[in-house]
Structures are given as structure tokens and as C-alpha cells.
Amino acid sequence: MERRSMPSRRTEYRATEESGELYIEGYFAVFNSNYEVCPGITESIAPGAFARALGGDARALTNHDTTLVLGRTKAGTLELREDGHGLWGRVTVNREDTDAMNLYQRVKRGDVDQCSIGFDIGSEEVEFRDDGSAHWTIREVYPLYEVTVATFPAYEETAISARSAETERARQKQVQTWRENMKNRLKRSDT
């Protein structure tokens, strides 16, 4: 499972109250917003990436902690939808859950204002740039396991290592393909 942090300037969510119900809502991911995985490697999520994942059973968590479930799509306490801006979500806060109420108040005060998502990559593309950097575009997220309200969302070291290794493998493949093409050209020019 991949985990991606989404800084608040890109995701913006809030605590709200409507008709006596409490909600935490907003964008858990924003399309076409570049974020740095590690130096020289950036990533973005393409519009439409969540289309297939929205039929699954996702959870809303606190700090990726599976013991702190705020809501769930299957239970109807987490609503997720994709629009032109990104992945929007709304969690119905359980007033009987002190952890959920404490988090609601922290979001309301602005003490907690970032989020993260946990998912598998269904499809992606990589672009190698002239400056040696690489940019990955996630075309499909499937499945989407979680959306998380997070205090310090960050890539776990394993996710950084995995993406760095993928970048190196893709670069090696690109060089190998170039070499094979050059050998074939030389063979053709010799005949």
C-alpha cells in the first residue's frame, strides 16, 4: 500500500455542523498538484484517477491508525466523490466517540489541517526530465484503502525507497532500450 501526504495548502478540509450533525469534510487529494516524494522525484494524481476506487470500501482514519476509524463508506459514515478538483470526502463524526470528538475539535481550531491517503497504484506514467529529475503521474488509484486526517503526514521511508528504486529501474530500462536501438541502427548501416 502506498501512502501519500497532502499538505493543507492543497487539500483544505474543515469541521462543520449541519442540522445537528458534525462533519469533517474537504479534499483529501487534489488533481495535478505536484508534490515531492524525495529530492528529484515528484508525483501528481491525474483527474479521473479515483473513478474505479470509489466503489470500494474505504475508511477514514486518524494518523493512519486502524484502531482510530472515523468513518467507513460501507457503513455510510464516509462519503467520497471525485470531481474536477480532486477527491472530496465527508466523514460523519460520531458524538459518542471521544477520539472522534477530540479530532473534530482539533480540526475546527486549525490544530490539525493535513491529510493523507492510503492506496495501491493501478496505473501510472513516468517522465524523465533533462535535469535528471523524474515525475510520476498516477493515472489510476485502485484500491483506495483509506483517507486519513493527519498531524504530520509524510512519506514513510519505505515509500520513498520504493519510488526511488522504481525510478532507477525505469531509467536503466530507458538506457537499455536506447542502446538496443543504436545497435540496430549500426547493424542496418553496415549492410
Side-chain angles (χ1 to χ4, degrees):
M1 176 173 57
E2 304 286 331
R3 287 191 174 137
R4 300 295 191 266
S5 66
M6 307 293 161
S8 60
R9 62 186 163 78
R10 294 189 190 120
T11 52
E12 299 164 13
Y13 60 94
R14 61 193 175 114
T16 63
E17 184 172 357
E18 279 179 30
S19 305
E21 292 285 344
L22 302 178
Y23 301 100
I24 296 173
E25 65 180 20
Y27 285 92
F28 287 93
V30 175
F31 296 136
N32 299 319
S33 181
N34 293 339
Y35 49 95
E36 189 174 53
V37 175
C38 59
I41 300 175
T42 57
E43 194 171 66
S44 64
I45 300 174
F50 294 98
R52 187 165 78 133
L54 292 178
D57 186 19
R59 280 99 168 143
L61 304 178
T62 304
N63 291 319
H64 296 291
D65 186 340
T66 58
T67 65
L68 296 173
V69 179
L70 298 171
R72 186 173 179 181
T73 54
K74 181 176 157 181
T77 54
L78 169 61
E79 176 188 354
L80 294 172
R81 71 174 180 249
E82 183 181 67
D83 62 21
H85 187 66
L87 177 66
W88 179 87
R90 183 180 209 181
V91 181
T92 305
V93 176
N94 179 359
R95 289 179 185 265
E96 302 300 315
D97 181 339
T98 56
D99 292 324
M101 287 301 296
N102 288 338
L103 180 64
Y104 174 83
Q105 291 301 325
R106 289 180 183 113
V107 171
K108 186 175 178 181
R109 282 177 26 136
D111 297 335
V112 176
D113 66 353
Q114 294 178 304
C115 63
S116 183
I117 56 177
F119 60 96
D120 283 343
I121 297 172
S123 70
E124 61 187 357
E125 296 171 0
V126 64
E127 171 193 355
F128 295 103
R129 297 179 173 153
D130 292 338
D131 64 2
S133 66
H135 179 78
W136 296 84
T137 302
I138 298 172
R139 297 283 175 201
E140 181 182 47
V141 167
Y142 187 78
L144 174 66
Y145 298 107
E146 61 167 295
V147 294
T148 290
V149 178
T151 307
F152 293 107
Y155 287 98
E156 294 185 1
E157 196 60 38
T158 54
I160 292 169
S161 297
R163 183 56 87 195
S164 296
E166 288 174 32
T167 301
E168 186 55 34
R169 279 193 302 277
R171 280 188 179 139
Q172 287 174 358
K173 184 177 179 182
Q174 189 178 39
V175 168
Q176 182 180 358
T177 301
W178 178 83
R179 284 182 181 156
E180 288 172 13
N181 289 339
M182 292 308 290
K183 284 180 187 177
N184 290 335
R185 282 184 183 175
L186 288 172
K187 285 179 185 177
R188 284 191 299 254
S189 68
D190 288 341
T191 59

